[in-house]
Amino acid sequence: KTSITPNGILHLEFASNAAATGNIVNAWEKEGLIKKAEINTYWDLVFLLFYSALLFILCKIVSKKMGEKSFLKKAGTILAPSALAAGMLDVLENGGMLASLAGIIRDNISLFTFTASVIKWLLVTLCILYIIGGTLYILFKKRKAYN
C-alpha cells in the first residue's frame, strides 16, 4: 500500500490501461515494493485454489438442499462451476499482473488483467450471495416447517 495505492494490489487488478498500470508500478518501484507485490501475487495462486474450491463445494451443498425443480437448485448448479471459473480467471489475472510487475506494461495486458479481475469478482460475489441467500432460505424453510 502507498499513498497512490491505498487498496494495495487491487489497484493493479483494476488498472485498465498502460498509463494507470505504469503509475502503480512506478509508485511501487520507488517504494521498493515490486518484489513484495510479486510474492503476494504468487501466494494468491495458492489461495485461489482454496477459495474457488470452497465456493464450489458450498454452492453444491446449498443447491442439494433446494427442491428438485426449483430455480434456486438450477442457480446453484450453474454457480458451482462458476466458482472454479473464477479461480481460473484469477490465474489469468495474476499472469497479467506478474507481466506488468516485470515491466511489460501495455494497454492490452492491462485491459486483459482488468477484464479477468472484473469477471472474477462478479462470479465470486454471485457465489457468495447465493450461498448466503440460499442458506437463509433453507433456515427459514426449516423454521417454517417446525412452526
Side-chain angles (χ1 to χ4, degrees):
K1 293 182 179 184
T2 67
S3 59
I4 295 173
T5 58
N7 293 322
I9 202 79
L10 288 175
H11 282 280
L12 189 57
E13 286 183 28
F14 291 112
S16 62
N17 58 51
T21 301
N23 288 338
I24 294 162
V25 171
N26 289 337
W28 289 352
E29 280 178 337
K30 288 178 187 172
E31 299 283 332
L33 296 173
I34 295 294
K35 194 68 175 165
K36 188 173 186 178
E38 289 173 336
I39 290 168
N40 287 342
T41 303
Y42 282 117
W43 273 111
D44 187 51
L45 291 169
V46 176
F47 175 69
L48 70 86
L49 294 172
F50 292 102
Y51 86 73
S52 61
L54 177 65
L55 291 176
F56 174 81
I57 291 166
L58 291 175
C59 283
K60 285 288 214 185
I61 290 170
V62 171
S63 177
K64 285 182 181 181
K65 302 279 185 185
M66 299 297 169
E68 272 309 304
K69 295 184 180 182
S70 75
F71 166 76
L72 292 174
K73 183 172 191 74
K74 290 177 188 171
T77 303
I78 293 168
L79 283 173
S82 296
L84 300 178
M88 290 305 301
L89 287 164
D90 206 346
V91 170
L92 297 174
E93 168 197 306
N94 287 346
M97 290 192 306
L98 288 168
S100 297
L101 291 168
I104 306 168
I105 299 170
R106 296 193 178 105
D107 279 329
N108 60 344
I109 294 173
S110 296
L111 184 58
F112 177 80
T113 303
F114 169 80
T115 304
S117 181
V118 168
I119 297 169
K120 171 199 76 174
W121 283 112
L122 176 64
L123 293 175
V124 166
T125 301
L126 288 172
C127 288
I128 291 170
L129 289 173
Y130 175 77
I131 292 163
I132 292 169
T135 301
L136 290 173
Y137 174 80
I138 292 164
L139 292 173
F140 285 125
K141 194 171 147 183
K142 281 185 180 181
R143 184 174 180 197
K144 193 174 183 181
Y146 288 122
N147 289 336

